[in-house]
Amino acid sequence: MSAADVPLLALGAGVLGAGGGGEPDRVGTILARRLGAGCHPVVALADLDPDATVVPIGIVGATQVLGEKLPAGVEFVETVAAIERWTSDRPDAVMGIEGGGLNGISGVLAAVELGLPYLDLDLMGRAMPRLDQFTWTAAGLPLTPCALAEPGGQVVVVDRVGPVALERTVRSMVSTTGGWAALALRPCRARELRDACITGSLARARRLGRAALAMGTGAPPEDCAATMGGRLLGSGRVTEVAHRPVPGGFGRGSVTVIDNTDGAVLRIESENEYLMVLVDGSVTATCPDIIALLDRHQARPVGVESVRSGIEVSVLVLSAPDWWCRRPDRLARVGPRAFGLDVDPVLIGRRRRPQEIGRAG
Amino acid sequence: MSGPAVPLAALLSHPALAGLVVLGDGDSDPTSIGVETVVARSVATASEAAPRALLVLLTPVEATDWKMDAIIRQAHVAGASALVLASTSPLPLSASALARRLALPVYGTDDPFTTGAVARDLILARGSHTAAVINDTVRALRRPAGDVEHLVRSLAAAIAHPIHLVDATGHQFAGTAPAPPIDPAELRRLPIDAGAQVVPLADRLLITVPVPLGEGPGVWLGAEAPGHLPADAAAIGAALEVAVHAVGRQLAVDRLADERDARLRAALLGELADAVGAPPPELRRRAIHAGWSLDGWHIGIRVNPRTAVDTVARRTEVLAALADQGLHCEAVEQADGWAVWTSLDSEPAPTDVDRVAKAIRRAHRALSTTLSASVGVGAAHQGPSGLVRSLAEANDAARLAESRPASGYFVHIDQLGLAQLLLAWTRTDTFQPAARTLLEPLAGQPGDLLRTLTAYLDAESSLVEAAAVLGVHRNTVAGRIARTETLLGVRLDDPETRLALHLACRANTSG
């Protein structure tokens, strides 16, 4: 890949962020600068030796702070150095931890900074808020030992904890330091990764980004949805944005959009990402399908943090990474009930209800 | 279980459901939405079919929760006519927009259990509603009522609807005035011995029962129920039938007290009129006790209804009409009307008298919509004897007013001298034909007998004076008078005959 691909990737990663995961633009700017006029190799799992060592790298914490507390530029290198010292494993390739939002491309930036090829795999295939929503956790693989490096220079290695305890450690570290940190998870062999990761999120981001760019400005929302391979749920003006703080948890919110063709009332429930769409009171889409609000005029994703009353949006749903939907226990981790929404998952492209899928499988 | 459809508007207008708050889709016309049943459910089962139901949710849902949208949707899919939520907090925009889009009226209550139970009784015509209303009515009747107004007010509270008492003319005299007023013809059409009648009016139901007074249906006890809720109307009817006996009894008790007071007042005024000179101290004491101030200046007013009315019952009406014009008056029932007066502390200036007279005139006009009466007003006089005198003048004036439709059946004595008063008498519609008949034989006779007779009587029966006025010889006058006596068949030495002829002449010449 080259610097010319970065805008496409950033745009597509934003769509896969489902409203969350942080804006990829800043990471994109740094990535484009690092790439300069050169190219960087992106490989598939089949291209690697089964014994090759792969390390998943990304950014955790409050992603908005990234704009205020700029990277020192050595965070990725330092996390990998720390994990290398701890495990004596020298990585041969870098993969992503999260398929959407800024982490959709931060793994690539890490690979560039480390001078290692980027393996187009990640642990989510979209943006999600919690570390227990990694495919490794769902597949029973450990996340530790892992290393964190924050922009102030502090480096922490965490080992021998489960995903819930790791989550607690990571959050307390970033909240008392720079607000965000580079995270390198347990280095593993390439053969371990078969059926334990989401494949091709970067390629998907590229496709989505190309579709969004190709549309240019003022494209009909139906076309926009079709080009992205998703379904248009409605398109119109945002009439209400409500935020409700939840004690001890992420704040909840809802966005109301009145469709400007048939007057349907769309209510989009959100946490860090958009989680569910009700059309005229019927649950029409839920996570883990990717719910995206696209600015009607620029075809750019509108995040949970930046959506405002009065803007014109198209509400799209794109299919969830297939890996999550193949087994009910995986779906339970990322479905609406995992976010406290008491409904069964409603997924596009899946006529059968998830429970029946489980029984059939 | 479902009954005939009841308009949602009727249900909502019932006082027991007045606490419902409109939360969503207040735009739908509730008169066009029918409700056949009430379904009360917890949230979890809201998706079961509830066609044409008032769907009452018993557990509150946070208004901002996305489940609110889902509930509205499910109520719509279930076929509900309206949704009642167990909370009155306002809906967020998405939920209210959805309610409007699905044309589903959404209401809120803090007490969904009671709302559901009341609505169910009202829609399904349950006996328990009737029993509850009758029970409340009996309890209200058990409390002692000071008067019929008080009784009707506590009845209205028990029945939870406006209650009124009207007489056969449609005049409301206790409770809440029906608006718009009831057509008395509507009441007269109703059978008097069939208990409570439900009369559907344009915008409401009138439930009415004749009050048994022993002399035909003079008074009706009625309730107004907005909208058309048959179950409620039946319950109100039953309650009114229970209450009507207590109302009848209270009316009789009130009447007895009024009659006694009227008799005492009439006797007191009679004694004052009969008293020679200053009234004795005992009489003064009773007058003061009755609230009459005898020593000031008084302007007597006589109000004589032009048709027979119950002067005891309608005395307050007259006083109220005068009070509306700022006149504080006393009124005493008389055989053919009321002797009324207003008292002043000092001798009134002509402008004061004029102001009082104008106020009386306005009161008379206001009264005329319900009570057609002739009104006479006396001059202002001082003291107890002055009161009697002014009342006597007012009485004369009222009699005079009876035959003067042109002046609006109103005569104020101050505006005519006593002579004019007498003269006015001769212009009355009854006197003039009589005068013409009396003098008929003189017409067409030679010698201008009518003019001669008039001059002669005007000159105090002096031939010489009359001859001078007429410019003829006195023998001519004597001859003409003799001829007149013959033609009329009268003798002019009789003073009564003289007076009658004199008046007849006046009427003829001036008329």
PDB file of all heavy atoms in Angstrom, chain A residues 239-240 244 256 262-265 267 269 276 280-282 341-343, chain B residues 63-70 73 92-95 97-98 101-102:
ATOM      1  N   THR A 239     -33.472  14.952  14.213  1.00  0.00           N
ATOM      2  CA  THR A 239     -34.340  15.893  14.931  1.00  0.00           C
ATOM      3  C   THR A 239     -34.064  15.924  16.420  1.00  0.00           C
ATOM      4  O   THR A 239     -34.477  16.834  17.108  1.00  0.00           O
ATOM      5  CB  THR A 239     -35.821  15.532  14.718  1.00  0.00           C
ATOM      6  OG1 THR A 239     -36.003  14.178  15.106  1.00  0.00           O
ATOM      7  CG2 THR A 239     -36.215  15.707  13.268  1.00  0.00           C
ATOM      8  N   GLU A 240     -33.400  14.897  16.927  1.00  0.00           N
ATOM      9  CA  GLU A 240     -33.145  14.901  18.365  1.00  0.00           C
ATOM     10  C   GLU A 240     -31.911  14.055  18.653  1.00  0.00           C
ATOM     11  O   GLU A 240     -31.756  12.971  18.088  1.00  0.00           O
ATOM     12  CB  GLU A 240     -34.351  14.321  19.106  1.00  0.00           C
ATOM     13  CG  GLU A 240     -34.253  14.459  20.613  1.00  0.00           C
ATOM     14  CD  GLU A 240     -35.490  13.904  21.311  1.00  0.00           C
ATOM     15  OE1 GLU A 240     -35.875  12.770  20.995  1.00  0.00           O
ATOM     16  OE2 GLU A 240     -36.061  14.604  22.162  1.00  0.00           O
ATOM     17  N   ARG A 244     -27.803  10.106  27.819  1.00  0.00           N
ATOM     18  CA  ARG A 244     -28.194   9.759  29.186  1.00  0.00           C
ATOM     19  C   ARG A 244     -26.989   9.137  29.870  1.00  0.00           C
ATOM     20  O   ARG A 244     -26.536   8.066  29.475  1.00  0.00           O
ATOM     21  CB  ARG A 244     -29.327   8.741  29.174  1.00  0.00           C
ATOM     22  CG  ARG A 244     -30.587   9.237  28.510  1.00  0.00           C
ATOM     23  CD  ARG A 244     -31.700   8.233  28.660  1.00  0.00           C
ATOM     24  NE  ARG A 244     -31.424   6.970  27.993  1.00  0.00           N
ATOM     25  CZ  ARG A 244     -31.560   6.771  26.683  1.00  0.00           C
ATOM     26  NH1 ARG A 244     -31.953   7.770  25.914  1.00  0.00           N
ATOM     27  NH2 ARG A 244     -31.312   5.597  26.159  1.00  0.00           N
ATOM     28  N   THR A 256     -32.646  10.621  16.851  1.00  0.00           N
ATOM     29  CA  THR A 256     -33.900  10.457  16.127  1.00  0.00           C
ATOM     30  C   THR A 256     -33.771  11.093  14.751  1.00  0.00           C
ATOM     31  O   THR A 256     -33.342  12.237  14.629  1.00  0.00           O
ATOM     32  CB  THR A 256     -35.062  11.113  16.896  1.00  0.00           C
ATOM     33  OG1 THR A 256     -35.089  10.566  18.202  1.00  0.00           O
ATOM     34  CG2 THR A 256     -36.393  10.846  16.215  1.00  0.00           C
ATOM     35  N   ASP A 262     -40.709   8.949   3.472  1.00  0.00           N
ATOM     36  CA  ASP A 262     -41.993   8.430   3.941  1.00  0.00           C
ATOM     37  C   ASP A 262     -42.344   8.830   5.372  1.00  0.00           C
ATOM     38  O   ASP A 262     -43.338   8.374   5.916  1.00  0.00           O
ATOM     39  CB  ASP A 262     -42.037   6.901   3.798  1.00  0.00           C
ATOM     40  CG  ASP A 262     -41.005   6.217   4.676  1.00  0.00           C
ATOM     41  OD1 ASP A 262     -40.251   6.939   5.351  1.00  0.00           O
ATOM     42  OD2 ASP A 262     -40.947   4.981   4.679  1.00  0.00           O
ATOM     43  N   GLY A 263     -41.537   9.694   5.990  1.00  0.00           N
ATOM     44  CA  GLY A 263     -41.877  10.184   7.330  1.00  0.00           C
ATOM     45  C   GLY A 263     -41.639   9.181   8.438  1.00  0.00           C
ATOM     46  O   GLY A 263     -42.054   9.419   9.583  1.00  0.00           O
ATOM     47  N   ALA A 264     -41.009   8.056   8.154  1.00  0.00           N
ATOM     48  CA  ALA A 264     -40.763   7.053   9.191  1.00  0.00           C
ATOM     49  C   ALA A 264     -39.897   7.651  10.300  1.00  0.00           C
ATOM     50  O   ALA A 264     -39.059   8.521  10.051  1.00  0.00           O
ATOM     51  CB  ALA A 264     -40.068   5.837   8.582  1.00  0.00           C
ATOM     52  N   VAL A 265     -40.141   7.176  11.521  1.00  0.00           N
ATOM     53  CA  VAL A 265     -39.374   7.652  12.668  1.00  0.00           C
ATOM     54  C   VAL A 265     -38.270   6.636  12.945  1.00  0.00           C
ATOM     55  O   VAL A 265     -38.536   5.489  13.268  1.00  0.00           O
ATOM     56  CB  VAL A 265     -40.279   7.798  13.903  1.00  0.00           C
ATOM     57  CG1 VAL A 265     -39.466   8.279  15.095  1.00  0.00           C
ATOM     58  CG2 VAL A 265     -41.431   8.743  13.613  1.00  0.00           C
ATOM     59  N   ARG A 267     -35.128   5.604  15.247  1.00  0.00           N
ATOM     60  CA  ARG A 267     -34.470   5.888  16.517  1.00  0.00           C
ATOM     61  C   ARG A 267     -33.225   5.022  16.585  1.00  0.00           C
ATOM     62  O   ARG A 267     -33.314   3.803  16.463  1.00  0.00           O
ATOM     63  CB  ARG A 267     -35.414   5.566  17.667  1.00  0.00           C
ATOM     64  CG  ARG A 267     -34.760   5.772  19.012  1.00  0.00           C
ATOM     65  CD  ARG A 267     -35.745   5.619  20.157  1.00  0.00           C
ATOM     66  NE  ARG A 267     -35.028   5.669  21.419  1.00  0.00           N
ATOM     67  CZ  ARG A 267     -35.500   6.237  22.529  1.00  0.00           C
ATOM     68  NH1 ARG A 267     -36.681   6.789  22.524  1.00  0.00           N
ATOM     69  NH2 ARG A 267     -34.786   6.226  23.628  1.00  0.00           N
ATOM     70  N   GLU A 269     -30.153   3.819  18.777  1.00  0.00           N
ATOM     71  CA  GLU A 269     -29.627   3.752  20.145  1.00  0.00           C
ATOM     72  C   GLU A 269     -28.114   3.625  20.080  1.00  0.00           C
ATOM     73  O   GLU A 269     -27.584   2.851  19.273  1.00  0.00           O
ATOM     74  CB  GLU A 269     -30.207   2.537  20.866  1.00  0.00           C
ATOM     75  CG  GLU A 269     -31.665   2.685  21.218  1.00  0.00           C
ATOM     76  CD  GLU A 269     -31.883   3.765  22.261  1.00  0.00           C
ATOM     77  OE1 GLU A 269     -31.445   3.589  23.410  1.00  0.00           O
ATOM     78  OE2 GLU A 269     -32.504   4.789  21.922  1.00  0.00           O
ATOM     79  N   MET A 276     -28.335  -0.098  17.667  1.00  0.00           N
ATOM     80  CA  MET A 276     -29.638  -0.631  17.289  1.00  0.00           C
ATOM     81  C   MET A 276     -30.423   0.476  16.574  1.00  0.00           C
ATOM     82  O   MET A 276     -30.295   1.654  16.917  1.00  0.00           O
ATOM     83  CB  MET A 276     -30.390  -1.053  18.558  1.00  0.00           C
ATOM     84  CG  MET A 276     -31.812  -1.510  18.312  1.00  0.00           C
ATOM     85  SD  MET A 276     -32.516  -2.305  19.757  1.00  0.00           S
ATOM     86  CE  MET A 276     -32.758  -0.935  20.837  1.00  0.00           C
ATOM     87  N   ASP A 280     -39.968   3.095  13.089  1.00  0.00           N
ATOM     88  CA  ASP A 280     -41.356   3.137  13.539  1.00  0.00           C
ATOM     89  C   ASP A 280     -41.597   2.168  14.689  1.00  0.00           C
ATOM     90  O   ASP A 280     -42.618   1.474  14.753  1.00  0.00           O
ATOM     91  CB  ASP A 280     -42.313   2.825  12.383  1.00  0.00           C
ATOM     92  CG  ASP A 280     -42.456   4.000  11.441  1.00  0.00           C
ATOM     93  OD1 ASP A 280     -42.134   5.132  11.862  1.00  0.00           O
ATOM     94  OD2 ASP A 280     -42.870   3.791  10.293  1.00  0.00           O
ATOM     95  N   GLY A 281     -40.660   2.123  15.609  1.00  0.00           N
ATOM     96  CA  GLY A 281     -40.843   1.312  16.808  1.00  0.00           C
ATOM     97  C   GLY A 281     -40.469  -0.147  16.643  1.00  0.00           C
ATOM     98  O   GLY A 281     -40.480  -0.888  17.619  1.00  0.00           O
ATOM     99  N   SER A 282     -40.166  -0.586  15.415  1.00  0.00           N
ATOM    100  CA  SER A 282     -39.755  -1.972  15.214  1.00  0.00           C
ATOM    101  C   SER A 282     -38.237  -2.049  15.194  1.00  0.00           C
ATOM    102  O   SER A 282     -37.585  -1.252  14.511  1.00  0.00           O
ATOM    103  CB  SER A 282     -40.250  -2.503  13.859  1.00  0.00           C
ATOM    104  OG  SER A 282     -41.623  -2.460  13.818  1.00  0.00           O
ATOM    105  N   LEU A 341     -29.195  -4.247  25.867  1.00  0.00           N
ATOM    106  CA  LEU A 341     -30.433  -4.021  25.107  1.00  0.00           C
ATOM    107  C   LEU A 341     -31.174  -5.354  25.036  1.00  0.00           C
ATOM    108  O   LEU A 341     -30.665  -6.322  24.461  1.00  0.00           O
ATOM    109  CB  LEU A 341     -30.129  -3.523  23.695  1.00  0.00           C
ATOM    110  CG  LEU A 341     -29.416  -2.180  23.614  1.00  0.00           C
ATOM    111  CD1 LEU A 341     -29.031  -1.878  22.176  1.00  0.00           C
ATOM    112  CD2 LEU A 341     -30.301  -1.072  24.169  1.00  0.00           C
ATOM    113  N   ASP A 342     -32.362  -5.382  25.619  1.00  0.00           N
ATOM    114  CA  ASP A 342     -33.053  -6.646  25.796  1.00  0.00           C
ATOM    115  C   ASP A 342     -33.820  -7.048  24.534  1.00  0.00           C
ATOM    116  O   ASP A 342     -35.050  -7.125  24.541  1.00  0.00           O
ATOM    117  CB  ASP A 342     -33.999  -6.517  27.004  1.00  0.00           C
ATOM    118  CG  ASP A 342     -34.619  -7.847  27.363  1.00  0.00           C
ATOM    119  OD1 ASP A 342     -34.059  -8.887  26.978  1.00  0.00           O
ATOM    120  OD2 ASP A 342     -35.672  -7.835  28.026  1.00  0.00           O
ATOM    121  N   VAL A 343     -33.101  -7.296  23.450  1.00  0.00           N
ATOM    122  CA  VAL A 343     -33.733  -7.779  22.208  1.00  0.00           C
ATOM    123  C   VAL A 343     -32.813  -8.833  21.583  1.00  0.00           C
ATOM    124  O   VAL A 343     -31.615  -8.861  21.842  1.00  0.00           O
ATOM    125  CB  VAL A 343     -33.954  -6.650  21.169  1.00  0.00           C
ATOM    126  CG1 VAL A 343     -35.030  -5.710  21.615  1.00  0.00           C
ATOM    127  CG2 VAL A 343     -32.670  -5.902  20.872  1.00  0.00           C
TER     128      VAL A 343
ATOM    129  N   ALA B  63     -39.453   7.145  30.129  1.00  0.00           N
ATOM    130  CA  ALA B  63     -39.927   7.749  28.872  1.00  0.00           C
ATOM    131  C   ALA B  63     -38.843   7.793  27.806  1.00  0.00           C
ATOM    132  O   ALA B  63     -39.118   7.679  26.615  1.00  0.00           O
ATOM    133  CB  ALA B  63     -40.461   9.154  29.151  1.00  0.00           C
ATOM    134  N   THR B  64     -37.581   7.941  28.251  1.00  0.00           N
ATOM    135  CA  THR B  64     -36.514   8.096  27.269  1.00  0.00           C
ATOM    136  C   THR B  64     -36.000   6.752  26.767  1.00  0.00           C
ATOM    137  O   THR B  64     -35.170   6.698  25.867  1.00  0.00           O
ATOM    138  CB  THR B  64     -35.342   8.877  27.885  1.00  0.00           C
ATOM    139  OG1 THR B  64     -34.951   8.214  29.087  1.00  0.00           O
ATOM    140  CG2 THR B  64     -35.734  10.294  28.204  1.00  0.00           C
ATOM    141  N   ASP B  65     -36.460   5.656  27.372  1.00  0.00           N
ATOM    142  CA  ASP B  65     -36.002   4.325  26.962  1.00  0.00           C
ATOM    143  C   ASP B  65     -36.503   4.024  25.555  1.00  0.00           C
ATOM    144  O   ASP B  65     -37.609   4.388  25.176  1.00  0.00           O
ATOM    145  CB  ASP B  65     -36.571   3.299  27.953  1.00  0.00           C
ATOM    146  CG  ASP B  65     -35.848   1.967  27.867  1.00  0.00           C
ATOM    147  OD1 ASP B  65     -35.589   1.514  26.745  1.00  0.00           O
ATOM    148  OD2 ASP B  65     -35.540   1.400  28.925  1.00  0.00           O
ATOM    149  N   TRP B  66     -35.653   3.305  24.797  1.00  0.00           N
ATOM    150  CA  TRP B  66     -36.078   2.922  23.444  1.00  0.00           C
ATOM    151  C   TRP B  66     -37.302   2.026  23.486  1.00  0.00           C
ATOM    152  O   TRP B  66     -38.045   1.920  22.509  1.00  0.00           O
ATOM    153  CB  TRP B  66     -34.936   2.204  22.715  1.00  0.00           C
ATOM    154  CG  TRP B  66     -34.498   0.934  23.387  1.00  0.00           C
ATOM    155  CD1 TRP B  66     -33.562   0.806  24.365  1.00  0.00           C
ATOM    156  CD2 TRP B  66     -35.010  -0.376  23.146  1.00  0.00           C
ATOM    157  NE1 TRP B  66     -33.443  -0.495  24.750  1.00  0.00           N
ATOM    158  CE2 TRP B  66     -34.321  -1.257  24.013  1.00  0.00           C
ATOM    159  CE3 TRP B  66     -35.977  -0.900  22.289  1.00  0.00           C
ATOM    160  CZ2 TRP B  66     -34.566  -2.623  24.058  1.00  0.00           C
ATOM    161  CZ3 TRP B  66     -36.214  -2.271  22.322  1.00  0.00           C
ATOM    162  CH2 TRP B  66     -35.520  -3.124  23.209  1.00  0.00           C
ATOM    163  N   LYS B  67     -37.526   1.354  24.635  1.00  0.00           N
ATOM    164  CA  LYS B  67     -38.692   0.464  24.742  1.00  0.00           C
ATOM    165  C   LYS B  67     -39.989   1.237  24.561  1.00  0.00           C
ATOM    166  O   LYS B  67     -41.011   0.665  24.183  1.00  0.00           O
ATOM    167  CB  LYS B  67     -38.688  -0.228  26.101  1.00  0.00           C
ATOM    168  CG  LYS B  67     -37.701  -1.377  26.147  1.00  0.00           C
ATOM    169  CD  LYS B  67     -37.745  -2.098  27.459  1.00  0.00           C
ATOM    170  CE  LYS B  67     -36.677  -3.172  27.485  1.00  0.00           C
ATOM    171  NZ  LYS B  67     -36.109  -3.339  28.813  1.00  0.00           N
ATOM    172  N   MET B  68     -39.970   2.545  24.880  1.00  0.00           N
ATOM    173  CA  MET B  68     -41.169   3.352  24.689  1.00  0.00           C
ATOM    174  C   MET B  68     -41.603   3.312  23.226  1.00  0.00           C
ATOM    175  O   MET B  68     -42.778   3.135  22.924  1.00  0.00           O
ATOM    176  CB  MET B  68     -40.870   4.785  25.131  1.00  0.00           C
ATOM    177  CG  MET B  68     -42.087   5.653  25.242  1.00  0.00           C
ATOM    178  SD  MET B  68     -43.275   4.948  26.381  1.00  0.00           S
ATOM    179  CE  MET B  68     -42.647   5.563  27.925  1.00  0.00           C
ATOM    180  N   ASP B  69     -40.648   3.452  22.320  1.00  0.00           N
ATOM    181  CA  ASP B  69     -40.964   3.378  20.887  1.00  0.00           C
ATOM    182  C   ASP B  69     -41.537   2.005  20.551  1.00  0.00           C
ATOM    183  O   ASP B  69     -42.509   1.881  19.810  1.00  0.00           O
ATOM    184  CB  ASP B  69     -39.707   3.611  20.042  1.00  0.00           C
ATOM    185  CG  ASP B  69     -39.206   5.040  20.128  1.00  0.00           C
ATOM    186  OD1 ASP B  69     -39.205   5.585  21.243  1.00  0.00           O
ATOM    187  OD2 ASP B  69     -38.826   5.604  19.089  1.00  0.00           O
ATOM    188  N   ALA B  70     -40.901   0.966  21.133  1.00  0.00           N
ATOM    189  CA  ALA B  70     -41.343  -0.387  20.838  1.00  0.00           C
ATOM    190  C   ALA B  70     -42.769  -0.613  21.354  1.00  0.00           C
ATOM    191  O   ALA B  70     -43.595  -1.240  20.686  1.00  0.00           O
ATOM    192  CB  ALA B  70     -40.384  -1.392  21.465  1.00  0.00           C
ATOM    193  N   ARG B  73     -45.263   1.030  19.126  1.00  0.00           N
ATOM    194  CA  ARG B  73     -45.392   0.214  17.931  1.00  0.00           C
ATOM    195  C   ARG B  73     -46.280  -1.012  18.200  1.00  0.00           C
ATOM    196  O   ARG B  73     -47.187  -1.342  17.435  1.00  0.00           O
ATOM    197  CB  ARG B  73     -43.996  -0.241  17.504  1.00  0.00           C
ATOM    198  CG  ARG B  73     -43.979  -1.276  16.408  1.00  0.00           C
ATOM    199  CD  ARG B  73     -44.356  -0.625  15.115  1.00  0.00           C
ATOM    200  NE  ARG B  73     -44.464  -1.565  14.033  1.00  0.00           N
ATOM    201  CZ  ARG B  73     -44.398  -1.204  12.754  1.00  0.00           C
ATOM    202  NH1 ARG B  73     -44.228   0.055  12.440  1.00  0.00           N
ATOM    203  NH2 ARG B  73     -44.528  -2.091  11.815  1.00  0.00           N
ATOM    204  N   PRO B  92     -40.108  11.614  24.723  1.00  0.00           N
ATOM    205  CA  PRO B  92     -39.092  12.241  23.891  1.00  0.00           C
ATOM    206  C   PRO B  92     -39.617  12.383  22.474  1.00  0.00           C
ATOM    207  O   PRO B  92     -40.643  11.800  22.115  1.00  0.00           O
ATOM    208  CB  PRO B  92     -37.924  11.265  23.955  1.00  0.00           C
ATOM    209  CG  PRO B  92     -38.536   9.959  24.267  1.00  0.00           C
ATOM    210  CD  PRO B  92     -39.759  10.237  25.082  1.00  0.00           C
ATOM    211  N   LEU B  93     -38.885  13.140  21.708  1.00  0.00           N
ATOM    212  CA  LEU B  93     -39.357  13.471  20.365  1.00  0.00           C
ATOM    213  C   LEU B  93     -39.631  12.246  19.508  1.00  0.00           C
ATOM    214  O   LEU B  93     -40.628  12.179  18.806  1.00  0.00           O
ATOM    215  CB  LEU B  93     -38.300  14.342  19.706  1.00  0.00           C
ATOM    216  CG  LEU B  93     -38.812  15.203  18.578  1.00  0.00           C
ATOM    217  CD1 LEU B  93     -38.187  16.563  18.693  1.00  0.00           C
ATOM    218  CD2 LEU B  93     -38.499  14.579  17.243  1.00  0.00           C
ATOM    219  N   SER B  94     -38.760  11.237  19.595  1.00  0.00           N
ATOM    220  CA  SER B  94     -38.941  10.080  18.723  1.00  0.00           C
ATOM    221  C   SER B  94     -40.247   9.375  19.045  1.00  0.00           C
ATOM    222  O   SER B  94     -41.008   9.008  18.142  1.00  0.00           O
ATOM    223  CB  SER B  94     -37.760   9.132  18.864  1.00  0.00           C
ATOM    224  OG  SER B  94     -37.746   8.528  20.144  1.00  0.00           O
ATOM    225  N   ALA B  95     -40.547   9.197  20.347  1.00  0.00           N
ATOM    226  CA  ALA B  95     -41.768   8.486  20.714  1.00  0.00           C
ATOM    227  C   ALA B  95     -43.004   9.287  20.345  1.00  0.00           C
ATOM    228  O   ALA B  95     -43.995   8.735  19.853  1.00  0.00           O
ATOM    229  CB  ALA B  95     -41.757   8.171  22.204  1.00  0.00           C
ATOM    230  N   ALA B  97     -43.198  11.547  17.988  1.00  0.00           N
ATOM    231  CA  ALA B  97     -43.303  11.563  16.522  1.00  0.00           C
ATOM    232  C   ALA B  97     -43.886  10.241  16.025  1.00  0.00           C
ATOM    233  O   ALA B  97     -44.698  10.213  15.093  1.00  0.00           O
ATOM    234  CB  ALA B  97     -41.928  11.794  15.899  1.00  0.00           C
ATOM    235  N   LEU B  98     -43.505   9.168  16.678  1.00  0.00           N
ATOM    236  CA  LEU B  98     -43.998   7.850  16.279  1.00  0.00           C
ATOM    237  C   LEU B  98     -45.496   7.724  16.570  1.00  0.00           C
ATOM    238  O   LEU B  98     -46.269   7.228  15.735  1.00  0.00           O
ATOM    239  CB  LEU B  98     -43.207   6.774  17.028  1.00  0.00           C
ATOM    240  CG  LEU B  98     -43.528   5.336  16.666  1.00  0.00           C
ATOM    241  CD1 LEU B  98     -43.308   5.104  15.180  1.00  0.00           C
ATOM    242  CD2 LEU B  98     -42.652   4.381  17.478  1.00  0.00           C
ATOM    243  N   ARG B 101     -47.270   9.542  13.997  1.00  0.00           N
ATOM    244  CA  ARG B 101     -47.205   8.849  12.713  1.00  0.00           C
ATOM    245  C   ARG B 101     -48.171   7.664  12.671  1.00  0.00           C
ATOM    246  O   ARG B 101     -48.793   7.397  11.645  1.00  0.00           O
ATOM    247  CB  ARG B 101     -45.776   8.352  12.485  1.00  0.00           C
ATOM    248  CG  ARG B 101     -45.600   7.531  11.245  1.00  0.00           C
ATOM    249  CD  ARG B 101     -44.138   7.451  10.895  1.00  0.00           C
ATOM    250  NE  ARG B 101     -43.852   6.363   9.990  1.00  0.00           N
ATOM    251  CZ  ARG B 101     -44.063   6.410   8.679  1.00  0.00           C
ATOM    252  NH1 ARG B 101     -44.565   7.502   8.156  1.00  0.00           N
ATOM    253  NH2 ARG B 101     -43.782   5.383   7.913  1.00  0.00           N
ATOM    254  N   LEU B 102     -48.307   6.982  13.802  1.00  0.00           N
ATOM    255  CA  LEU B 102     -49.196   5.821  13.855  1.00  0.00           C
ATOM    256  C   LEU B 102     -50.616   6.207  14.275  1.00  0.00           C
ATOM    257  O   LEU B 102     -51.472   5.353  14.447  1.00  0.00           O
ATOM    258  CB  LEU B 102     -48.635   4.775  14.831  1.00  0.00           C
ATOM    259  CG  LEU B 102     -47.227   4.254  14.496  1.00  0.00           C
ATOM    260  CD1 LEU B 102     -46.751   3.288  15.557  1.00  0.00           C
ATOM    261  CD2 LEU B 102     -47.210   3.583  13.132  1.00  0.00           C
TER     262      LEU B 102
END
